[in-house]
Amino acid sequence: MDGESGLTIKAARREERSASAEALLNATAQLLSEATTIDVSLNEISQRASVNSAMIKYYFGNKEGLLLALLERDAETAMTALKALSEMEIPAQKKLKIHINGIINAYYRSPYINRLIHYMVESGSPAASKRVAQIFIEPMIDVYRDIVAQGVREGVLKEVDPGLLYYCLVGAADHIFHAGYSVPSTLGVDRLDDGIKQKYAELVCDIYLRGLAP
């Protein structure tokens, strides 16, 4: 085997390994989105991904490592967008409205996110708990602090604790999806759809923008 062929085979194997890891992450996300808890077995994940369950240990070490990798993947997309939003030269109220719509859309697409964050912070290892705080919670509070400060300067927002604002906005954005079992009773439909999600986002924006006005 010549050197060039060997490199080609190695590259193909790396791509295959990467595809298997991504399949496991995608399968985990799908199963968590379908469930109301994070109690999804490794066997279910490997079957959904069509990947040998031994590969979970190979790529991620254990179930906690897999869940943390999923959150890191979600955080990379969400926090990059949030950081870009905070740096835009637009009014603070508009930033807040875009963010509220964005976070509700994120939970609509991936309803497991906040549930998994809480699980990892409360029940994960100290290292995993610290990592989740670093990649999700702390960046969000930093951005809230900047938006609130800008809004105060512009005279359109009252001064509020960014940590308390985090609980308010994340709680409002997440609960309708976390409590999906109650939708038939509260809304008279079998499940949430894009139209209901959008109406909910508009209502949350209206409530919070009015409530945060000076």
Side-chain angles (χ1 to χ4, degrees):
M1 180 185 296
D2 58 40
E4 185 175 347
S5 297
L7 289 173
T8 300
I9 292 172
K10 288 180 181 178
R13 286 174 178 169
R14 281 197 300 271
E15 288 182 5
E16 182 179 348
R17 288 196 295 269
S18 177
S20 296
E22 194 68 15
L24 289 167
L25 291 173
N26 291 337
T28 305
Q30 291 168 8
L31 288 166
L32 290 175
S33 294
E34 295 165 6
T36 56
T37 69
I38 55 87
D39 189 21
V40 177
S41 72
L42 298 183
N43 187 50
E44 288 177 294
I45 294 170
S46 62
Q47 287 185 353
R48 177 68 65 92
S50 299
V51 174
N52 191 300
S53 59
M55 292 296 98
I56 295 175
K57 183 176 181 180
Y58 177 76
Y59 291 121
F60 307 106
N62 53 28
K63 185 177 180 180
E64 180 179 88
L66 172 62
L67 297 177
L68 183 58
L70 177 60
L71 279 178
E72 287 180 329
R73 188 180 74 169
D74 291 336
E76 182 178 4
T77 301
M79 295 304 109
T80 298
L82 185 59
K83 181 64 174 174
L85 173 64
S86 72
E87 295 173 351
M88 289 182 181
E89 295 185 5
I90 58 176
Q93 282 185 324
K94 187 170 184 179
K95 287 182 180 179
L96 204 53
K97 186 172 183 178
I98 292 172
H99 171 62
I100 291 172
N101 276 276
I103 195 172
I104 289 176
N105 280 326
Y107 287 145
Y108 178 67
R109 292 191 304 268
S110 306
Y112 61 84
I113 291 179
N114 203 40
R115 185 167 68 244
L116 186 52
I117 288 173
H118 281 293
Y119 171 79
M120 295 295 283
V121 170
E122 295 168 5
S123 304
S125 66
S129 177
K130 182 178 180 180
R131 179 61 180 154
V132 171
Q134 288 173 337
I135 63 176
F136 262 110
I137 301 172
E138 292 171 10
M140 289 183 73
I141 292 177
D142 286 342
V143 169
Y144 289 177
R145 184 177 292 110
D146 291 342
I147 292 176
V148 169
Q150 179 188 343
V152 170
R153 291 194 303 270
E154 294 172 349
V156 296
L157 296 179
K158 66 178 68 173
E159 193 162 349
V160 294
D161 186 305
L164 295 179
L165 183 59
Y166 167 84
Y167 287 121
C168 287
L169 293 183
V170 171
D174 167 71
H175 187 66
I176 189 172
F177 307 112
H178 181 68
Y181 60 85
S182 64
V183 166
S185 298
T186 57
L187 301 178
V189 295
D190 292 333
R191 62 182 181 83
L192 297 168
D193 59 24
D194 191 71
I196 294 173
K197 179 263 298 179
Q198 192 55 43
K199 286 181 180 179
Y200 184 65
E202 290 170 1
L203 177 61
V204 173
C205 283
D206 185 60
I207 290 171
Y208 279 96
L209 290 176
R210 288 176 185 270
L212 289 169

